[in-house]
Amino acid sequence: METKKQTRKTSGKTKELILVVAREIAAEKGVGQLTLEAVADRAGISKGGLLYHFPGKKELIIALMDSYVSHLSDELETATKPFKGHPQALVLGFIHWYKKFNGIAASNRTWGAAVFAVQSFDPQLMEPLHNWYRKLFEKIRSCGPASLDSATAIMAIEGLFMLSLYNLDHLTTEEKSRIIQHIEDRLLMRELNPKNSIE
């Protein structure tokens, strides 16, 4: 007889499978074509089994967005950890993050683009991502005198990420390396201007 702990474990695995499959379908066909029937069919479960975890498409997309934002938070935390204590840890973390993936891996581009397409389905579903960026800018503001330098550098790197996301990156690897190096040089090898704050 299955114990409650085993039941919870099985339930957790099913929920994880549903999210993996939903992400695949959204990446392949877009959020508009993401249906509960398609997810249940590909996951090999009944629609009732899917509805047990996610009562509707909206709840499923919210869970996908939450998972994506959690992924972003984990990646940023991992990227900034080696620079803990450095006044420009946040920017150095962003640079390290970008270098690690050389922008956005091709396998993640379609999913990343699908995430931003959620806005056309229901703008309110973008709230988890809005919250992530609000927290990011709070971190930038907390850089004090260096906040303007930090904001400029991070926005430049975000621009490179977005070009990669939408497959609009026509820069060579060398050109991207020079841009990143330029950001590091400008940010870390000159005296900070105490007036450079975005507050």
Side-chain angles (χ1 to χ4, degrees), residues 36-89:
L36 299 180
E37 291 79 8
V39 174
D41 183 57
R42 187 178 293 193
I45 61 174
S46 67
K47 186 176 178 182
L50 189 152
L51 291 173
Y52 172 78
H53 295 283
F54 303 102
K57 179 174 177 175
K58 183 174 182 178
E59 289 76 14
L60 180 56
I61 293 176
I62 288 171
L64 284 172
M65 294 299 292
D66 286 340
S67 175
Y68 179 68
V69 167
S70 178
H71 163 74
L72 292 180
S73 297
D74 289 345
E75 287 292 344
L76 183 57
E77 183 179 353
T78 299
T80 55
K81 198 170 184 178
F83 308 104
K84 188 176 180 180
H86 193 286
Q88 290 294 349

Side-chain angles (χ1 to χ4, degrees), residues 55-136:
K57 179 174 177 175
K58 183 174 182 178
E59 289 76 14
L60 180 56
I61 293 176
I62 288 171
L64 284 172
M65 294 299 292
D66 286 340
S67 175
Y68 179 68
V69 167
S70 178
H71 163 74
L72 292 180
S73 297
D74 289 345
E75 287 292 344
L76 183 57
E77 183 179 353
T78 299
T80 55
K81 198 170 184 178
F83 308 104
K84 188 176 180 180
H86 193 286
Q88 290 294 349
L90 185 61
V91 179
L92 291 172
F94 256 84
I95 291 171
H96 179 68
W97 189 2
Y98 182 83
K99 285 179 176 178
K100 177 182 173 184
F101 293 106
N102 190 23
I104 295 178
S107 59
N108 291 328
R109 284 178 190 161
T110 50
W111 164 237
V115 165
F116 284 90
V118 165
Q119 187 160 303
S120 63
F121 176 73
D122 184 344
Q124 289 185 338
L125 298 180
M126 291 290 286
E127 193 56 29
L129 196 56
H130 282 293
N131 284 336
W132 190 84
Y133 275 100
R134 285 188 193 102
K135 290 176 183 176
L136 172 62

